[in-house]
Coordinates of all heavy atoms in Angstrom, one line a residue:
F84 N -17.2 -51.6 53.4 CA -18.0 -52.8 53.2 C -17.1 -54.0 53.3 O -16.6 -54.5 52.2 CB -18.7 -52.8 51.9 CG -19.4 -51.4 51.6 CD1 -18.9 -50.5 50.8 CD2 -20.6 -51.2 52.3 CE1 -19.6 -49.3 50.6 CE2 -21.3 -49.9 52.1 CZ -20.7 -49.0 51.3
P85 N -16.9 -54.6 54.5 CA -15.9 -55.7 54.6 C -16.2 -56.9 53.8 O -15.3 -57.7 53.4 CB -15.9 -56.0 56.1 CG -16.5 -54.8 56.7 CD -17.4 -54.1 55.7
T86 N -17.5 -57.2 53.5 CA -17.9 -58.4 52.7 C -18.8 -57.9 51.6 O -19.4 -56.8 51.6 CB -18.7 -59.4 53.6 OG1 -20.0 -58.8 53.9 CG2 -18.0 -59.7 54.9
R87 N -18.9 -58.8 50.6 CA -19.7 -58.5 49.4 C -21.2 -58.4 49.9 O -21.9 -57.6 49.4 CB -19.6 -59.7 48.4 CG -20.4 -59.3 47.1 CD -20.0 -60.2 46.0 NE -18.7 -60.1 45.5 CZ -18.2 -59.2 44.6 NH1 -19.1 -58.4 44.1 NH2 -17.0 -59.2 44.3
A88 N -21.6 -59.2 50.8 CA -23.0 -59.2 51.3 C -23.2 -57.8 51.9 O -24.3 -57.2 51.7 CB -23.2 -60.2 52.4
D89 N -22.2 -57.2 52.6 CA -22.4 -55.9 53.2 C -22.6 -54.9 52.1 O -23.5 -54.0 52.2 CB -21.2 -55.5 54.0 CG -21.0 -56.3 55.3 OD1 -22.0 -56.8 55.8 OD2 -19.8 -56.4 55.7
L90 N -21.9 -55.0 51.0 CA -22.0 -54.1 49.9 C -23.3 -54.2 49.2 O -24.0 -53.2 48.9 CB -20.8 -54.3 48.9 CG -20.8 -53.4 47.6 CD1 -20.7 -52.0 48.0 CD2 -19.6 -53.8 46.7
I91 N -23.8 -55.4 49.0 CA -25.0 -55.7 48.3 C -26.2 -55.1 49.1 O -27.0 -54.4 48.6 CB -25.2 -57.2 48.1 CG1 -24.2 -57.7 47.0 CG2 -26.7 -57.5 47.6 CD1 -24.2 -59.2 46.9
I92 N -26.2 -55.3 50.4 CA -27.2 -54.8 51.3 C -27.2 -53.3 51.3 O -28.3 -52.6 51.2 CB -27.1 -55.4 52.7 CG1 -27.5 -56.9 52.6 CG2 -28.0 -54.7 53.7 CD1 -27.2 -57.7 53.9
A93 N -26.0 -52.7 51.3 CA -25.9 -51.3 51.3 C -26.4 -50.7 50.0 O -27.1 -49.6 50.1 CB -24.5 -50.8 51.6
V94 N -26.1 -51.3 48.9 CA -26.6 -50.8 47.6 C -28.2 -50.9 47.6 O -28.8 -49.9 47.2 CB -26.0 -51.6 46.4 CG1 -26.8 -51.3 45.1 CG2 -24.5 -51.3 46.3
Y95 N -28.7 -52.0 48.0 CA -30.1 -52.2 48.1 C -30.8 -51.1 48.9 O -31.7 -50.4 48.5 CB -30.4 -53.6 48.6 CG -31.9 -53.9 48.7 CD1 -32.5 -54.5 47.6 CD2 -32.6 -53.7 49.9 CE1 -33.9 -54.9 47.7 CE2 -34.0 -54.1 49.9 CZ -34.6 -54.6 48.8 OH -35.9 -55.0 48.9
R96 N -30.3 -50.9 50.1 CA -30.8 -49.9 51.0 C -30.7 -48.4 50.5 O -31.6 -47.6 50.6 CB -30.1 -49.9 52.4 CG -30.6 -51.1 53.3 CD -29.9 -51.0 54.6 NE -30.5 -52.0 55.5 CZ -31.6 -51.7 56.3 NH1 -32.2 -50.6 56.2 NH2 -32.0 -52.7 57.1
H97 N -29.5 -48.2 49.8 CA -29.3 -46.9 49.2 C -30.3 -46.6 48.1 O -30.9 -45.5 48.0 CB -27.9 -46.8 48.7 CG -27.5 -45.6 47.9 ND1 -27.4 -44.4 48.5 CD2 -27.2 -45.4 46.6 CE1 -27.0 -43.5 47.7 NE2 -26.9 -44.0 46.5
Q98 N -30.6 -47.6 47.3 CA -31.6 -47.4 46.2 C -33.0 -47.3 46.7 O -33.8 -46.5 46.2 CB -31.4 -48.6 45.2 CG -30.1 -48.5 44.4 CD -30.0 -49.7 43.4 OE1 -30.4 -50.8 43.7 NE2 -29.4 -49.4 42.3
V99 N -33.3 -48.0 47.8 CA -34.7 -47.9 48.4 C -34.8 -46.5 49.0 O -35.9 -45.8 48.8 CB -34.9 -49.0 49.4 CG1 -36.2 -48.7 50.3 CG2 -35.0 -50.4 48.8
E100 N -33.8 -46.0 49.7 CA -33.9 -44.7 50.3 C -34.1 -43.6 49.2 O -34.8 -42.7 49.4 CB -32.6 -44.4 51.1 CG -32.6 -45.0 52.5 CD -33.8 -44.6 53.3 OE1 -34.3 -43.4 53.3 OE2 -34.3 -45.5 54.0
A101 N -33.3 -43.7 48.1 CA -33.5 -42.8 47.0 C -34.9 -42.8 46.5 O -35.5 -41.7 46.2 CB -32.4 -43.1 45.9
C102 N -35.5 -43.9 46.3 CA -36.8 -44.0 45.8 C -37.8 -43.5 46.8 O -38.7 -42.7 46.5 CB -37.1 -45.5 45.5 SG -38.6 -45.8 44.5
A103 N -37.6 -43.7 48.1 CA -38.5 -43.2 49.1 C -38.4 -41.7 49.2 O -39.5 -41.0 49.4 CB -38.1 -43.8 50.5
E104 N -37.2 -41.1 49.1 CA -37.1 -39.7 49.2 C -37.7 -39.0 48.0 O -38.1 -37.8 48.0 CB -35.6 -39.3 49.4 CG -35.1 -39.7 50.7 CD -33.6 -39.7 50.9 OE1 -32.9 -39.2 49.9 OE2 -33.1 -40.1 51.9
A105 N -37.7 -39.7 46.8 CA -38.2 -39.0 45.6 C -39.7 -38.8 45.6 O -40.1 -37.8 45.0 CB -37.8 -40.0 44.4
G106 N -40.5 -39.6 46.3 CA -41.9 -39.4 46.3 C -42.3 -38.0 46.8 O -42.9 -37.2 46.1
P107 N -42.0 -37.7 48.1 CA -42.3 -36.4 48.6 C -41.7 -35.2 47.8 O -42.3 -34.2 47.6 CB -41.8 -36.4 50.0 CG -41.7 -37.8 50.4 CD -41.4 -38.6 49.1
A108 N -40.5 -35.4 47.3 CA -39.8 -34.4 46.5 C -40.6 -34.1 45.2 O -40.8 -33.0 44.8 CB -38.4 -34.8 46.1
L109 N -41.1 -35.2 44.5 CA -41.9 -35.0 43.3 C -43.2 -34.2 43.6 O -43.6 -33.4 42.8 CB -42.2 -36.3 42.7 CG -41.0 -37.0 42.0 CD1 -41.3 -38.5 41.7 CD2 -40.6 -36.3 40.7
L110 N -43.8 -34.5 44.7 CA -45.1 -33.8 45.1 C -44.7 -32.3 45.4 O -45.5 -31.4 45.0 CB -45.7 -34.5 46.3 CG -46.5 -35.7 46.0 CD1 -47.0 -36.3 47.3 CD2 -47.7 -35.4 45.0
A111 N -43.6 -32.1 46.1 CA -43.2 -30.8 46.5 C -42.8 -29.9 45.3 O -42.9 -28.7 45.3 CB -42.1 -30.8 47.5
D112 N -42.4 -30.6 44.2 CA -41.9 -29.8 43.0 C -43.1 -29.1 42.2 O -42.8 -28.4 41.3 CB -41.2 -30.8 42.0 CG -39.8 -31.0 42.5 OD1 -39.3 -30.4 43.4 OD2 -39.1 -32.0 41.9
G113 N -44.3 -29.4 42.6 CA -45.4 -28.7 42.0 C -46.0 -29.4 40.8 O -46.9 -28.9 40.2
A114 N -45.5 -30.6 40.5 CA -46.1 -31.3 39.4 C -47.5 -31.8 39.8 O -47.7 -32.0 41.0 CB -45.3 -32.6 39.0
P115 N -48.5 -31.9 38.9 CA -49.8 -32.5 39.3 C -49.6 -33.9 39.9 O -48.6 -34.6 39.5 CB -50.5 -32.6 37.9 CG -49.8 -31.6 37.0 CD -48.4 -31.6 37.5

Side-chain angles (χ1 to χ4, degrees):
F84 311 104
T86 69
R87 183 168 297 273
D89 293 333
L90 179 59
I91 291 168
I92 289 169
V94 166
Y95 183 87
R96 285 183 169 276
H97 177 65
Q98 291 180 323
V99 168
E100 281 302 321
C102 196
E104 291 167 5
L109 288 166
L110 282 174
D112 282 348

